[in-house]
Amino acid sequence: MPCEHGHGFPLLEFGESLGQDRRYKIVRKLGWGMNSSTWLVYDQQSQTYLALKALTGHCTQCVQKGLSWELKALTRVSSPPHKHCLQLKDSFTIPGKGSAGSHLCLVTSLLAGDLKSVWGPRLPLPLAKRILLHTLRGLAHAHRSGVVHTDLKPDNIFIGNVMLTGDIDSLLQANSSRRHEAEASYDGIVQAAVSQPLPGPSLEDGMSRTYVLADFGSAQPIDQHLTDLITAESLRPPEIWLGGPWNEKVDIWTFGCLVFELVVGTRLFVPEPKTVENVALDATESVLYQMMCFTQEDFTAENLQVSSRAGQWFNLTCNLKKGPRLLNYEYADIIDRYKVASRTDAESMGTLLKRCLRLDPSERPSAEDLLSDAWFSG
């Protein structure tokens, strides 16, 4: 399909050289997503391996029209660089083949896969703490740089690469780059490259790795919003559900949800229709109800008055119109049910969740403040 229809993936060849002075040699495909594909490249100037993210033609158009802020966000968080944020090394645009359109290419540090693809949803407590602390450091750096990530999730937290150039050379010799069988496409017959990510570490080795906040494709400036529809639904903060004003504190709510998800292995908030004592709630009412039960807070009149969609679900007394009976859930008790931490750790983790998950964004701490939370000690 052409880029005008939201597709336009790059057709890159193994051995092809891109960039100024044909500096970056395409070695293999590491992976792909809805808006881009990522490739292992050999930097013939520094004689090291890096990653190259090639945006689809459609997404490249969005960057050119000012509808996507990824390049500017990466530029900000890379100046100065921070070891817990993805580092941009170079960028350039290449002409596409067929109807794909042109492609913005982002050359970045090389990483070893994301949490979701390497390990899955639930992690040992010490490893989860290490990952979350490193992520929080990256988030604090992004916020200091004026960047809101808006899409914090396991898919976008990556494992630092420890393979040296010689190690990667050996890997490539033992497991050569491959292509799928030929198939028909909008522009004729193509052979897509097989995704072959670098090997991820074992859970035991994970305690010696560095973790990196990556994929700034949905990032936005703190003071200027390109869209208000942000964050995966189960991690989405209340102000986004309600259509209220927002800032970098959306990342703090999402971080709190991630703490629970990585330790317990399941979502804290489930935005699905729910019936509470014969009161039928739609998906949005349900998640707002869950938020009130878990935080044991009420939405204030000040918050609801500045939220464009609040009137759909709340009355003038700041209660849900359908009046479901609110329950009080204690985080430590919920964590205890899953047998993933001692009672002391569950209580300490519950305290951290209470700090992050405040209905009023102004009551949430900054990422910098959270770095000294007692849950991370030791």
Side-chain angles (χ1 to χ4, degrees), residues 46-297:
S46 66
Q47 298 186 334
T48 58
Y49 288 100
L50 297 169
L52 182 145
K53 180 178 180 179
L55 274 59
T56 61
H58 174 73
C59 284
T60 299
Q61 287 181 357
C62 289
V63 172
Q64 293 168 343
K65 293 176 181 179
L67 303 176
S68 172
W69 203 59
E70 183 170 13
L71 176 58
K72 291 182 179 178
L74 277 173
T75 300
R76 284 197 185 187
V77 299
S78 301
S79 305
H82 191 282
K83 69 177 182 178
H84 297 299
C85 270
L86 184 65
Q87 294 181 28
L88 180 68
K89 307 288 187 180
D90 197 0
S91 65
F92 51 88
T93 301
I94 60 172
K97 298 171 184 175
S99 65
S102 58
H103 306 286
L104 174 63
C105 296
L106 306 170
V107 181
T108 68
S109 46
L110 180 62
L111 302 173
D114 65 89
L115 298 186
K116 183 177 181 179
S117 63
V118 174
W119 288 322
R122 178 172 158 182
L123 300 171
L125 182 60
L127 179 58
K129 285 189 178 187
R130 180 179 179 85
I131 292 169
L132 288 160
L133 180 58
H134 287 194
T135 302
L136 191 59
R137 289 172 180 166
L139 198 60
H141 174 70
H143 290 175
R144 286 193 299 269
S145 304
V147 175
V148 192
H149 191 278
T150 83
D151 197 24
L152 196 60
K153 56 185 179 181
D155 318 44
N156 293 336
I157 301 170
F158 277 69
I159 304 165
N161 171 54
V162 296
M163 296 182 74
L164 302 175
T165 300
D167 299 326
I168 298 177
D169 287 338
S170 299
L171 175 68
L172 294 169
Q173 289 175 2
N175 183 10
S176 60
S177 303
R178 306 190 306 275
R179 290 192 173 275
H180 292 285
E181 295 293 327
E183 58 182 341
S185 77
Y186 184 84
D187 290 316
I189 303 299
V190 298
Q191 273 190 289
V194 175
S195 294
Q196 297 172 269
L198 295 183
S202 65
L203 287 172
E204 293 75 17
D205 290 341
M207 284 301 293
S208 63
R209 291 295 184 96
T210 298
Y211 297 89
V212 180
L213 180 60
D215 197 344
F216 285 80
S218 299
Q220 298 193 42
I222 287 177
D223 56 355
Q224 181 183 358
H225 301 157
L226 307 178
T227 177
D228 292 323
L229 185 61
I230 60 170
T231 313
E233 286 190 345
S234 63
L235 306 169
R236 185 173 293 168
E239 60 268 32
I240 302 303
W241 286 105
L242 292 171
W246 59 273
N247 56 22
E248 74 278 8
K249 296 298 182 69
V250 295
D251 286 340
I252 303 301
W253 176 279
T254 303
F255 180 78
C257 295
L258 269 185
V259 171
F260 185 87
E261 186 171 318
L262 293 187
V263 174
V264 173
T266 190
R267 295 176 294 172
L268 180 59
F269 299 109
V270 183
E272 295 175 353
K274 180 182 181 70
T275 299
V276 180
E277 297 178 342
N278 298 319
V279 178
L281 306 176
D282 65 28
T284 304
E285 287 171 316
S286 173
V287 77
L288 294 170
Y289 169 80
Q290 293 169 50
M291 290 174 176
M292 295 170 74
C293 292
F294 275 108
T295 62
Q296 300 180 32
E297 295 178 345

